Amino acid sequence: AAARAAEAPARDAARVQVERLDPPAANDERTPREDADASGSFRSIRAKVPAPARVRLRLGQAKVELRAEHFQKLARLWRSRRRAAGWDSETVDATSDVSVAKKSDDACYGDARFLRAAFACSARVVAAQGGMHRVAGGHHAALHGAVFDVLKYGPLRVEAELFASPLNCRYDVFCSAHADVDAPFGSLGSFFAFEPKDGSFEVNPPFESDVVLAVARRLERLLKDAEARNDALSFTVITPYWPKRAAWEALNKSAFRARAPVVVAARDHFYVDGAQHCKRKTHKPASCDTSVLFLQTSRGREKYVATDETVEALRAAFRPTR
């Protein structure tokens, strides 16, 4: 369905239908949530989690549902990408007459091109998760927004995510696995085809040993090339803490490692659920200890400093406040 939507000619885009779904009435249903006890460790309690407003996109018999906030996020990314490409002056390709301002979120409900792109992007994520979002929480899980803010606004000045998607990215600049359907929302393509010469980047690959090892080898090559050019290049890498595994040790033993790895105990942090765009509960407990490694060229260490204060801020940011 995602491929059909991405490749359909403009005249067929009207087939993508959109519907706003109001959240169901409040009831006494209670779902698990994690809070910190007096010792600082997390424990499960029962707490109400309100059902979110949703948006349903339908193409023929296929349909996907998103939280309304994620649909609006896609609209924002869509507009940002079009402005960056110089397409902002184009008129809305509407499936019906729309009288709302083009730049409002409501305008996207009537823009056939946007709806086609949003359906394709969302359907691809559903397919990649096996169509079972309820058990796909670990697939494409993400960091807390607070962690991203420490990385971006602190001394590391991270400017892009190298493993993300339009639905879970924090920054507008990111790499993703499905560039054919993600590009309209700003994706730079696959990490494995991305060739940064300098800059500071966040790297949070899928927690799978072979993938992490491939990432480690590619980062090493990029850093060696940047070092030879005397460029400032920095990667903040988030992976499970896997001592003695070849994948993790390839990162840990890199000549470009700027300081000792930061290790955050599993009990002390959460991730944002990989199905955050459609689940009621958006956070999930970490299943293992997490490590943060800073790999930098010589000039990168001077320009993007991984200070003790930054490390402590990261530890604090990993802990959810709710």
Side-chain angles (χ1 to χ4, degrees), residues 302-318:
E302 298 171 358
K303 186 174 182 179
Y304 309 110
V305 185
T307 64
D308 291 342
E309 292 77 12
T310 297
V311 167
E312 290 310 309
L314 282 173
R315 287 186 182 279
F318 264 105

Side-chain angles (χ1 to χ4, degrees), residues 66-84:
L66 307 174
R67 294 170 69 106
E69 64 196 86
H70 286 79
F71 181 80
Q72 291 161 5
K73 176 184 180 180
L74 290 180
R76 179 183 63 78
L77 291 171
W78 167 266
R79 292 194 304 269
S80 177
R81 174 69 180 89
R82 295 185 69 79
R83 284 195 300 269

Side-chain angles (χ1 to χ4, degrees), residues 60-273:
Q61 297 301 310
K63 64 181 180 181
V64 292
E65 291 185 6
L66 307 174
R67 294 170 69 106
E69 64 196 86
H70 286 79
F71 181 80
Q72 291 161 5
K73 176 184 180 180
L74 290 180
R76 179 183 63 78
L77 291 171
W78 167 266
R79 292 194 304 269
S80 177
R81 174 69 180 89
R82 295 185 69 79
R83 284 195 300 269
W87 300 333
D88 200 36
S89 61
E90 294 186 11
T91 58
V92 171
D93 178 11
T95 60
S96 60
D97 291 338
V98 290
S99 57
V100 292
K102 189 182 87 170
K103 291 191 177 182
S104 73
D105 288 335
D106 284 342
C108 287
Y109 280 84
D111 189 331
R113 291 169 304 190
F114 166 72
L115 294 178
R116 185 173 77 248
F119 179 90
C121 171
S122 304
R124 181 65 60 82
V125 171
V126 172
Q129 293 181 336
M132 300 179 292
H133 71 269
R134 290 178 178 81
V135 295
H139 180 276
H140 236 164
L143 301 175
H144 293 287
V147 178
F148 280 118
D149 289 347
V150 171
L151 295 177
K152 182 172 184 176
Y153 299 113
L156 290 168
R157 290 183 284 165
V158 168
E159 58 197 79
E161 305 167 60
L162 300 191
F163 285 88
S165 78
L167 290 172
N168 79 352
C169 65
R170 177 71 172 185
Y171 310 145
D172 287 0
V173 181
F174 59 93
C175 291
S176 69
H178 311 300
D180 58 325
V181 293
D182 294 346
F185 303 99
S187 173
L188 300 175
S190 169
F191 159 79
F192 293 102
F194 186 50
E195 295 282 344
K197 304 302 181 184
D198 54 23
S200 181
F201 304 93
E202 180 263 1
V203 187
N204 183 16
F207 290 177
E208 201 283 325
S209 292
D210 289 344
V211 175
V212 174
L213 182 57
V215 168
R217 289 170 174 167
R218 191 156 195 280
L219 292 178
E220 194 76 6
R221 196 266 295 171
L222 291 170
L223 288 161
K224 285 181 179 178
D225 291 349
E227 185 73 21
R229 297 189 304 268
N230 197 32
D231 284 337
L233 184 60
S234 174
F235 298 107
T236 301
V237 187
I238 295 90
T239 72
Y241 179 52
W242 283 338
K244 299 183 179 179
R245 287 201 195 185
W248 190 83
E249 293 296 346
L251 295 165
N252 185 47
K253 294 179 179 178
S254 170
F256 297 99
R257 199 191 74 193
R259 59 178 297 155
V262 178
V263 180
V264 184
R267 67 178 181 275
D268 290 337
H269 68 295
F270 275 31
Y271 282 94
V272 180
D273 198 289

